[in-house]
């Protein structure tokens, strides 16, 4: 458990460097800092002197049929060496094929063959980076007829076979549960707590017939309630507020992180102290 953080966004750079807000850590989009030099990286290095940093990628494309992008992995490894992140994460999805990046987090069919494919690629990623990787569940809007297992089994099987960890996005679970009609609490109960390294919380948009993971609203009451359920079922974990569009003033985002902190304290006080099972899982077994 490393407390409560927010995403580092350029709209807040100046204020962060001026007021040094009372948050525990920042998560950054890895791809924004892969180019050596320049103002963004210099700003990140200044912030990393005061706050722990987590690297969160959006273009690893771990499920793609394309070969792994080893040039990208070397850039990511170099960045990790510069800012010494607590961990490095990306999404359980594919983002492109044929060398074209579609700039979206696209779903995978939940089949044993895809499990084998992703596990093999994750092992290669972890070998290159020299650290255990953290993999996030994505929000989805369609399902494959070829799937033979539920999403939580797919995610769990990959994490256990690849010996990686899980970034459990609570909003994504809520969105996908609404869109596909599964039980979000059942999802939580079937994720291995010892593998969960981090939570994500975010806002979404209701399109009437489906929910859209837009990251442009405050966290809604139902997602806060599901977060409280996760704290009871899985336990406290590092928790991040994501806000990527219609970004409000820094104080508004920090207030959401403070609300997550308050909910966590309330749940833990009501339920009593519980052991954090992640202590049994090393965070870096190759370095």
């Amino acid at each position: 458990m490393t407390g409560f953080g927010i995403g580092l966004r350029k709209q807040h750079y100046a204020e962060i460097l001026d007021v040094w807000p009372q948050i525990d850590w920042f998560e950054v989009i890895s791809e924004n800092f892969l180019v050596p030099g320049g103002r963004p990286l210099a700003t990140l290095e200044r912030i990393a002197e005061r706050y722990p940093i987590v690297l969160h990628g959006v273009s690893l494309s771990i499920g793609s049929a394309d070969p792994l992008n080893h040039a990208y992995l070397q850039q990511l490894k170099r960045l990790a060496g510069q800012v010494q992140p607590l961990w490095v994460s990306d999404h359980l999805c594919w983002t492109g094929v044929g060398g074209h990046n579609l700039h979206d987090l696209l779903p995978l069919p939940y089949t044993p063959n895809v499990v084998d494919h992703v596990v093999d690629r994750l092992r290669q990623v972890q070998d290159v980076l020299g650290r255990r990787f953290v993999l996030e569940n994505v929000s989805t809007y369609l399902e494959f007829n070829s799937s033979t297992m539920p999403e939580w089994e797919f995610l769990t099987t990959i994490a256990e076979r690849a010996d990686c960890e899980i970034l459990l996005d609570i909003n994504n679970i809520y969105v996908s549960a609404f869109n596909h009609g599964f039980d979000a609490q059942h999802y939580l109960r079937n994720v291995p707590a010892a593998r969960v390294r981090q939570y994500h919380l975010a806002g979404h948009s209701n399109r009437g017939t489906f929910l859209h993971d837009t990251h442009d609203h405050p966290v809604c009451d139902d997602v806060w309630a599901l977060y409280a359920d996760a704290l009871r079922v899985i336990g406290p974990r590092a928790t991040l507020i994501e806000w990527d569009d219609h970004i409000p003033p820094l104080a508004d985002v920090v207030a959401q992180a403070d609300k997550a902190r308050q909910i966590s304290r309330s749940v833990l006080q009501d339920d009593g102290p519980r052991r954090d099972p992640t202590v049994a899982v090393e965070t870096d077994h190759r370095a």
Side-chain angles (χ1 to χ4, degrees), residues 216-227:
D216 60 356
H217 287 76
V219 180
C220 74
D221 289 344
D222 286 346
V223 172
W224 284 126
L226 189 60
Y227 173 57

Side-chain angles (χ1 to χ4, degrees), residues 3-9 12-13 15-17 19-26 51 201 217-219 224 239-243 247-263:
F4 302 85
I6 65 174
L8 179 63
R9 302 296 180 258
H12 298 148
Y13 283 177
E15 189 174 1
I16 289 168
L17 295 175
V19 304
W20 300 112
Q22 295 297 311
I23 56 114
D24 297 321
W25 54 284
F26 283 102
Y51 299 91
L201 296 167
H217 287 76
V219 180
W224 284 126
T239 298
L240 180 101
I241 301 297
E242 289 188 295
W243 206 316
I247 296 174
L250 177 63
D252 291 357
V253 186
V254 172
Q256 290 274 283
D258 289 340
K259 183 170 182 176
R261 190 190 309 273
Q262 293 163 6
I263 290 172

Side-chain angles (χ1 to χ4, degrees), residues 62 68 115-125 161-162:
I62 196 65
L68 282 170
V115 168
D116 291 343
H117 177 66
V118 173
V119 167
D120 176 67
R121 289 161 68 88
L122 269 174
R123 288 171 176 165
Q124 295 179 58
V125 168
R161 284 186 49 193

Side-chain angles (χ1 to χ4, degrees), residues 91-156:
H91 302 80
L92 180 54
C93 69
W94 62 285
T95 60
V97 69
H100 299 284
N101 191 331
L102 301 176
H103 301 288
D104 206 346
L105 307 174
L106 301 168
L108 293 163
Y110 306 143
T111 69
N113 286 342
V114 177
V115 168
D116 291 343
H117 177 66
V118 173
V119 167
D120 176 67
R121 289 161 68 88
L122 269 174
R123 288 171 176 165
Q124 295 179 58
V125 168
Q126 293 182 130
D127 284 341
V128 170
L129 297 181
R131 61 173 66 229
R132 182 175 276 118
F133 202 73
V134 184
L135 200 61
E136 178 185 351
N137 59 295
V138 299
S139 56
T140 58
Y141 310 95
L142 59 81
E143 296 177 294
F144 290 90
N145 290 332
S146 59
S147 291
T148 60
M149 64 184 80
E151 180 185 324
W152 51 87
E153 181 181 343
F154 181 71
L155 173 64
T156 294

